[in-house]
Amino acid sequence: MITSIVILTYNKLKYTKQCIESIRSNTKKGTYELIVVDNCSNDGTKEWLKNQDDIINVFNDKNLGFPKGCNQGIKISTGESVLLFNNAIAGILMMIYI
């Protein structure tokens, strides 16, 4: 079974990297697809994402908000299930963990 992991981003490159690296290192390869919907980041997030071979990217020309971005990711997903994330969740989880 493949899970489509849809991550919404708006800046916060540090959290985006942490979130994606955590998924990569803690989730069995071949069981998920990564879809990132970027809501017009201007902090280097878009450039970093373009260099990631295992990510399906959607780049918006303006910030469309969380619900619309989620719908964009869901629409192109191919997994049997979908998991929605906000890139800032990595920072929140780290604060809870500490």
Side-chain angles (χ1 to χ4, degrees):
M1 180 167 110
I2 300 291
T3 299
S4 297
I5 303 173
V6 178
I7 304 170
L8 271 286
T9 62
Y10 177 67
N11 294 321
K12 298 188 180 9
L13 177 58
K14 175 183 172 183
Y15 293 153
T16 301
K17 287 180 177 181
Q18 289 172 344
C19 182
I20 291 170
E21 289 306 321
S22 178
I23 292 166
R24 286 174 175 158
S25 58
N26 294 297
T27 310
K28 186 178 176 183
K29 216 173 191 173
T31 63
Y32 66 94
E33 67 176 352
L34 279 175
I35 300 169
V36 176
V37 179
D38 181 75
N39 271 329
C40 201
S41 293
N42 57 16
D43 67 343
T45 297
K46 187 189 299 190
E47 293 75 20
W48 183 81
L49 289 169
K50 285 180 180 179
N51 290 314
Q52 306 307 303
D53 296 331
D54 62 336
I55 298 176
I56 301 163
N57 291 301
V58 176
F59 296 112
N60 290 325
D61 293 330
K62 63 181 182 178
N63 189 337
L64 299 178
F66 188 77
K68 194 168 237 180
C70 287
N71 286 336
Q72 287 178 298
I74 292 168
K75 187 175 181 177
I76 65 168
S77 67
T78 61
E80 290 91 347
S81 59
V82 177
L83 176 63
L84 301 174
F85 265 127
N86 183 309
N87 65 334
I89 194 72
I92 293 167
L93 293 174
M94 287 180 66
M95 288 188 286
I96 293 170
Y97 225 37
I98 294 176

